[in-house]
Amino acid sequence: MPAIRPWLILLLAAVPSLARAADVITLNDDVYLQWSDANDRNGKSGVCGFMIIGNHLNRANPHVVWDINIDEVWQGDTRVAGYTAGTFDVVDGKRIPRAPITALTFGVEGQAEPVLTRLVGPPNADHGIKGIIELDRAKVLFDGFSEEKWITITLTYADSTSEILRTRGFHEPYHGGRASPFNMCLLGKVPTGNFRRPIP
């Protein structure tokens, strides 16, 4: 029986790690609608968006959490869509920043093209980053959140690792589409209540 070549042993040993790297992490019970209390009720200025606080209900020690905020901000005729993002190891209740994110892309169920983003400035002291989303693509993303579609988030880190997160868009059982809480927020109609989107 021929001997197994050393390089083949190394290749076989690497297969489980490669499989794990491709796994998609599903975030449960982690999407909230968010807005600014300073929103103008005539829709002339404000902030509306979604907050993903991924894995925050996990009580394991240690565990990982992801903080991602996606917002549309406007003042008069000027509108900008952007995001902030960071990820942490939680050890004994303390949040320890993981490597900075160097690229972030969104995917929306039913959309062939990804929603690309552009980072702005360097990471902050907690390795959090911020970026811009082109408004036409941001609308696709916000519609996906408002229509309860699956959203994927691909993260690349400064240490050359990557992750794919998956979550569902925000759910509000009585209104959707143009009458969704997000679209009403854009009109200055600030919603009330606990707007969390649980995933079965």
Side-chain angles (χ1 to χ4, degrees):
M1 182 177 181
I4 299 177
R5 298 181 184 276
W7 64 266
L8 183 56
I9 295 174
L10 293 174
L11 179 62
L12 291 172
V15 168
S17 297
L18 293 173
R20 283 195 298 272
D23 287 348
V24 176
I25 302 167
T26 298
L27 303 178
N28 297 308
D29 206 21
D30 293 338
V31 176
Y32 294 80
L33 184 69
Q34 64 181 2
W35 60 91
S36 169
D37 289 336
N39 278 11
D40 182 274
R41 293 189 177 275
N42 295 314
K44 296 180 179 179
S45 64
V47 178
C48 298
F50 297 92
M51 173 173 54
I52 304 168
I53 41 179
N55 207 31
H56 73 296
L57 296 179
N58 192 330
R59 295 295 176 261
N61 186 24
H63 67 276
V64 178
V65 295
W66 295 267
D67 287 354
I68 302 171
N69 297 275
I70 309 146
D71 298 297
E72 184 167 332
V73 182
W74 69 98
Q75 179 73 47
D77 294 331
T78 302
R79 288 182 175 265
V80 177
Y83 66 92
T84 60
T87 178
F88 305 85
D89 289 317
V90 180
V91 181
D92 297 330
K94 296 181 180 179
R95 289 159 57 106
I96 302 170
R98 299 169 75 206
I101 297 166
T102 56
L104 188 154
T105 302
F106 296 98
V108 179
E109 178 186 356
Q111 294 288 325
E113 295 295 324
V115 177
L116 304 177
T117 75
R118 176 170 54 88
L119 270 64
V120 177
N124 64 20
D126 292 323
H127 295 176
I129 53 98
K130 58 185 177 182
I132 297 292
I133 310 171
E134 296 299 327
L135 276 176
D136 60 337
R137 299 304 293 158
K139 184 180 186 310
V140 172
L141 181 60
F142 288 132
D143 286 348
F145 273 107
S146 297
E147 295 169 8
E148 203 175 344
K149 293 184 178 180
W150 283 104
I151 309 294
T152 58
I153 307 166
T154 302
L155 303 169
T156 303
Y157 295 95
D159 61 4
S160 299
T161 61
S162 62
E163 292 172 326
I164 301 175
L165 311 178
R166 183 179 80 142
T167 190
R168 282 283 289 280
F170 170 78
H171 174 70
E172 201 278 330
Y174 304 109
H175 303 93
R178 296 180 66 181
S180 71
F182 175 76
N183 286 333
M184 292 298 98
C185 180
L186 293 180
L187 297 175
K189 298 179 181 179
V190 176
T192 58
N194 178 18
F195 286 98
R196 182 171 66 193
R197 198 300 172 205
I199 301 172

XYZ file of all heavy atoms in Angstrom, residues 59 80 145:
29
model
N -25.669 33.865 26.643
C -25.125 33.960 28.002
C -23.890 33.072 28.198
O -23.407 32.913 29.312
C -26.207 33.578 29.024
C -27.379 34.564 29.049
C -26.921 35.930 29.519
N -27.997 36.924 29.476
C -28.166 37.802 28.517
N -27.323 37.833 27.492
N -29.159 38.666 28.543
N -28.095 60.955 3.198
C -26.931 60.067 3.217
C -27.343 58.770 3.888
O -28.079 58.785 4.880
C -25.746 60.698 3.987
C -24.579 59.731 4.056
C -25.321 62.009 3.349
N -35.040 44.926 4.631
C -35.320 44.901 6.064
C -36.801 45.121 6.335
O -37.388 44.469 7.196
C -34.498 45.971 6.790
C -33.132 45.531 7.209
C -32.004 45.986 6.549
C -32.960 44.656 8.267
C -30.741 45.578 6.936
C -31.705 44.238 8.665
C -30.590 44.705 7.999
